[in-house]
């Protein structure tokens, strides 16, 4: 056939549409897998951070005659460097206040382990105490927004330490700074009770005498007792039954919408809500189905893992569905009959 008589072959419109449809289908299949892989990577990084914090605690105790760091506030707050606190863009505080705050926080106690000056925001300590998954689901701006709306001082936090006081104590007795709940450990306040800055000298003396930081060797069942974990909570349900109120390792109500309402890893939930009602409805569905995510946790023996939720049933009531809770609970603080499942 003569060269000038050859016809070039081109895609028809239908063929192009088929190719585009196939590409779109492949993208729709791959995107969820890529998103899930990204979340898994973030969760792995979160677990590595918790392991680093746990190793820092164990190292600290080894250098301090077996004593845990403390006394500490239960929240592992981020951005607690002197410069970060005194130069806060919305709520700057004095150097004296900032110094008092720092002494209550785990990352400040462990700053030598991280070779951290702990001066500025986003220091090494901040990076170690940042959960990438939680940061994506719950950005720092949420905490700032909550602070502006309520005037309640809340700094970003992704992790919490196991530092629970007995129900018999009140803020008037020892000052705020620990979590009083039926999950009180035995012995209580592993990391020591830290009264709020500005408390009376008598309050500080009482806290130091009754609830000093514990010896790490006194922690029973160290491989099963949680040390530091993801911070999350559930809403209050029945005021008459404290165990039914706050259902995450961070058992306080002031965070409002700030923290995920369920375990933040591998739950395949969007964590995006258009309203409080939508958020509560989602949480109720998770509770009923018991298809919660997992809570990244480091234990007192230093190992870290993602743990599934459990249910504690006592006297006919289902308590503490969510984070497994302490294995060294104080019998005086718990219902007389119960079992984990």
């Amino acid at each position: 056939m003569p060269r000038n008589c050859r016809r070039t072959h081109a895609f028809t419109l239908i063929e192009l549409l088929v190719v585009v449809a196939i590409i779109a289908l492949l993208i729709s299949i791959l995107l969820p897998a890529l998103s899930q892989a990204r979340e898994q990577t973030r969760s792995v990084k979160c677990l590595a951070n918790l392991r680093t914090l746990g190793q820092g605690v164990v190292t600290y105790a080894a250098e301090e005659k077996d004593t845990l760091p403390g006394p500490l506030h239960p929240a592992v707050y981020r951005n607690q460097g002197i410069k970060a606190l005194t130069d806060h863009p919305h709520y700057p505080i004095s150097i004296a206040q900032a110094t008092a705050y720092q002494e209550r926080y785990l990352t400040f106690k462990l700053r030598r382990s991280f070779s951290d000056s702990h001066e500025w925001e986003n220091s090494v300590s901040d990076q170690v105490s940042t959960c990438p998954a939680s940061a994506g689901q719950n950005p720092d701006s949420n905490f700032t927004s909550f602070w502006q709306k309520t005037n309640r001082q809340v700094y970003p936090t992704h992790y919490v330490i196991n530092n629970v006081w007995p129900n018999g104590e009140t803020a008037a007795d020892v000052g705020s700074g620990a979590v009083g709940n039926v999950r009180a450990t035995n012995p209580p306040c592993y990391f020591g009770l830290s009264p709020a800055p500005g408390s009376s000298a008598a309050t500080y003396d009482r806290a130091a005498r009754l609830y000093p930081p514990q010896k790490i060797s006194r922690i029973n069942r160290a491989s099963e007792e949680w040390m530091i974990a993801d911070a999350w909570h559930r809403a209050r349900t029945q005021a008459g039954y404290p165990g039914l109120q706050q259902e995450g390792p961070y058992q306080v109500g002031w965070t409002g919408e700030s923290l995920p309402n369920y375990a933040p890893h591998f739950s395949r939930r969007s964590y995006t809500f258009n309203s409080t009602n939508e958020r509560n409805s989602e949480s109720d569905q998770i509770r009923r189905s018991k298809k919660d995510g997992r809570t990244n946790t480091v234990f007192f023996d230093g190992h870290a893992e993602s743990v599934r939720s459990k249910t504690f049933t006592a006297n006919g009531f289902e308590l503490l569905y969510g984070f497994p809770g302490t294995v060294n609970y104080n019998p005086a603080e718990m219902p007389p009959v119960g079992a984990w499942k």
Side-chain angles (χ1 to χ4, degrees):
M1 180 181 293
R3 183 186 301 269
N4 59 359
C5 293
R6 293 177 182 172
R7 292 192 301 177
T8 58
H9 180 75
F11 287 108
T12 65
L13 178 60
I14 292 178
E15 288 173 330
L16 286 173
L17 291 175
V18 169
V19 171
V20 170
I22 292 173
I23 293 174
L25 178 62
L26 290 174
I27 290 175
S28 67
I29 294 173
L30 290 175
L31 278 180
L34 291 174
S35 178
Q36 184 176 353
R38 184 168 57 250
E39 285 302 314
Q40 288 180 344
T41 300
R42 290 173 176 171
S43 294
V44 169
K45 173 60 176 173
C46 171
L47 195 61
N49 286 344
L50 280 169
R51 187 178 292 109
T52 298
L53 288 171
Q55 290 171 349
V57 170
V58 172
T59 300
Y60 181 99
E63 295 174 348
E64 297 294 333
K65 300 179 180 179
D66 196 40
T67 303
L68 290 167
L72 298 179
H73 187 282
V76 183
Y77 284 132
R78 295 173 42 245
N79 303 333
Q80 297 293 296
I82 287 288
K83 293 293 185 181
L85 292 169
T86 57
D87 298 347
H88 194 284
H90 302 288
Y91 303 99
I93 59 178
S94 69
I95 291 179
Q97 289 175 308
T99 301
Y101 281 19
Q102 282 189 324
E103 289 292 341
R104 308 179 72 204
Y105 299 125
L106 177 67
T107 51
F108 180 73
K109 296 291 187 182
L110 302 182
R111 65 194 183 281
R112 285 183 300 174
S113 299
F114 308 137
S115 299
D116 193 354
S117 66
H118 217 67
E119 291 278 331
W120 299 92
E121 183 178 350
N122 297 323
S123 63
V124 176
S125 297
D126 292 336
Q127 295 171 28
V128 172
S129 57
T130 298
C131 172
S134 294
Q137 300 155 4
N138 184 33
D140 291 359
S141 59
N142 286 1
F143 294 90
T144 301
S145 175
F146 180 84
W147 197 339
Q148 292 171 333
K149 290 178 181 178
T150 65
N151 200 33
R152 303 178 79 172
Q153 196 169 347
V154 181
Y155 291 98
T157 178
H158 297 158
Y159 302 128
V160 62
I161 63 176
N162 189 352
N163 207 30
V164 187
W165 67 1
N167 273 340
E169 300 288 0
T170 66
D173 292 327
V174 291
S176 61
V179 183
N181 188 273
V182 293
R183 296 188 185 191
T185 55
N186 185 22
C189 291
Y190 291 145
F191 293 86
L193 175 58
S194 175
S199 297
S200 67
T203 295
Y204 278 102
D205 290 344
R206 176 180 170 83
R209 177 167 43 86
L210 295 180
Y211 305 110
Q214 299 291 331
K215 301 285 187 182
I216 196 170
S217 58
R218 288 196 64 194
I219 310 300
N220 296 320
R221 301 169 66 179
S223 64
E224 301 174 60
E225 181 66 307
W226 72 279
M227 178 200 297
I228 313 169
D230 295 318
W232 61 279
H233 77 287
R234 293 191 190 280
R236 294 178 181 273
T237 51
Q238 288 183 281
Y241 299 95
L244 292 170
Q245 291 180 13
Q246 300 304 328
E247 299 202 32
Y250 201 10
Q251 302 157 52
V252 292
W254 52 256
T255 47
E257 297 294 309
S258 292
L259 298 176
N261 220 24
Y262 34 80
H265 297 285
F266 310 111
S267 65
R268 297 186 179 180
R269 301 285 172 170
S270 67
Y271 293 91
T272 301
F273 309 97
N274 296 319
S275 67
T276 299
N277 289 337
E278 182 180 337
R279 180 177 186 269
N280 292 340
S281 175
E282 179 88 350
S283 299
D284 288 341
Q285 292 177 26
I286 294 171
R287 182 185 178 93
R288 287 194 299 270
S289 66
K290 291 186 171 58
K291 292 181 179 179
D292 214 333
R294 288 178 175 260
T295 301
N296 280 349
T297 309
V298 62
F299 296 82
F300 275 99
D301 69 342
H303 89 278
E305 62 178 296
S306 291
V307 298
R308 68 179 181 83
S309 298
K310 294 184 180 181
T311 301
F312 186 82
T313 304
N315 295 339
F317 291 101
E318 182 181 288
L319 310 177
L320 310 178
Y321 172 69
F323 189 79
T326 178
V327 296
N328 297 325
Y329 63 84
N330 188 336
E333 303 291 330
M334 295 296 290
V337 179
W340 286 106
K341 292 183 181 179

